Amino acid sequence: MPLDVIGAGFLRTGTTSLKLALERLGYEPSYHMRVLNAEPARAADWLAAARDPEATDWDQIFDGFRSSVGSPGTAFWRQIVDAYPEAKVVLTVRDPQSWYDSTASTIKHTPASPALVRLLTWGRAKSGDSLLEEAQQMLSEREGSQFTDREEALAAFQRHVDAVRAYVPPERLLIFNVREGWGPLCAFLGRPEPTEPFPVENDRASFRRRQRKAMNRVIMRRAAIAAGIATTLALTVWARRGMRR
């Protein structure tokens, strides 16, 4: 089943709200960063895509999905647009200054100290979690989240908008601010407008709440691993002492 809708907007432009809106309109499930967070092993697909985007089997990656919104898809938007020539493209936008402020206070904001980061990554094997971290770093580099100052980020944001507008035929493209609500999106997709309000999700407060919860989950996993290692060592020492008696 090919993709019907491709979201090409940068993170913090309402991509999570668009994901929920598309699913409400029947384009479900939607591939979004939440898919990778729930299934970290899928990160291997995107790391492989970064090595050779042109040889990527997009049908395999998007098998079972009807839309793609935000990261990781945005990092490969040209290849995905080409792979699905019948799909509609939605470029989410917002005021660039507001976008930068939101990005700087969420995605670029990290509450973890260097010591805590070392604790969280200590002893990590090449598991799904580590693949996810590697993929997140790669996506950050491809999408520009590594920008260090306002002017550079704003220029990159505008370049991205201009690139999408120049690349995607006008009849396939909707430039969309999620604050506009259901009207433009439903008209573009030829779907009736739902009666409920347009979804509003992933504002700064909710983003930080999820960030704290994710950090706490990692801390708990690391604590459990450390406790298991300590228990194993203690039992080994106890057993050896028993053998010497």
Side-chain angles (χ1 to χ4, degrees), residues 8-207:
F10 268 178
L11 294 174
R12 309 308 299 163
T13 59
T15 53
T16 304
S17 295
L18 177 62
K19 168 196 182 301
L20 298 176
L22 289 175
E23 290 181 333
R24 172 61 182 83
L25 295 175
Y27 300 101
E28 59 180 340
S30 182
Y31 206 119
H32 181 267
M33 196 65 199
R34 291 184 177 183
V35 173
L36 287 192
N37 290 335
E39 303 177 61
R42 287 181 177 268
D45 293 335
W46 298 95
L47 292 170
R51 289 190 291 272
D52 192 354
E54 303 306 324
T56 299
D57 186 348
W58 298 108
D59 286 343
Q60 182 270 323
I61 290 178
F62 291 118
D63 183 36
F65 292 86
R66 294 197 59 191
S67 59
S68 172
V69 178
S71 189
T74 299
F76 301 88
W77 66 268
R78 284 185 178 85
Q79 290 81 15
I80 298 172
V81 165
D82 289 345
Y84 300 99
E86 301 301 318
K88 297 291 187 71
V89 181
V90 179
L91 175 63
T92 44
V93 296
R94 64 186 291 184
D95 172 73
Q97 299 288 346
S98 173
W99 167 79
Y100 178 81
D101 290 340
S102 177
T103 301
S105 64
T106 53
I107 296 171
K108 292 172 70 67
H109 173 76
T110 174
S113 67
L116 181 56
V117 170
R118 286 195 296 271
L119 170 65
L120 298 181
T121 57
W122 167 77
R124 173 165 286 180
K126 198 69 173 180
S127 62
D129 281 352
S130 62
L131 285 173
L132 179 58
E133 287 185 358
E134 187 178 346
Q136 286 172 329
Q137 178 62 35
M138 175 272 295
L139 294 169
S140 177
E141 292 171 358
R142 290 183 68 97
E143 295 178 29
S145 296
Q146 77 279 12
F147 297 134
T148 57
D149 62 70
R150 180 181 293 268
E151 287 70 26
E152 181 185 7
L154 293 177
F157 182 87
Q158 190 59 52
R159 284 197 302 271
H160 178 73
V161 171
D162 293 342
V164 175
R165 296 186 70 163
Y167 196 81
V168 182
E171 64 274 13
R172 290 184 64 190
L173 179 64
L174 172 67
I175 311 295
F176 181 55
N177 188 316
V178 294
R179 291 187 175 184
E180 298 175 276
W182 291 113
L185 182 64
C186 291
F188 177 64
L189 298 175
R191 297 293 177 107
E193 293 187 33
T195 56
E196 68 264 28
F198 192 89
V200 177
E201 180 74 11
N202 212 26
D203 58 15
R204 296 186 199 184
S206 63
F207 184 96

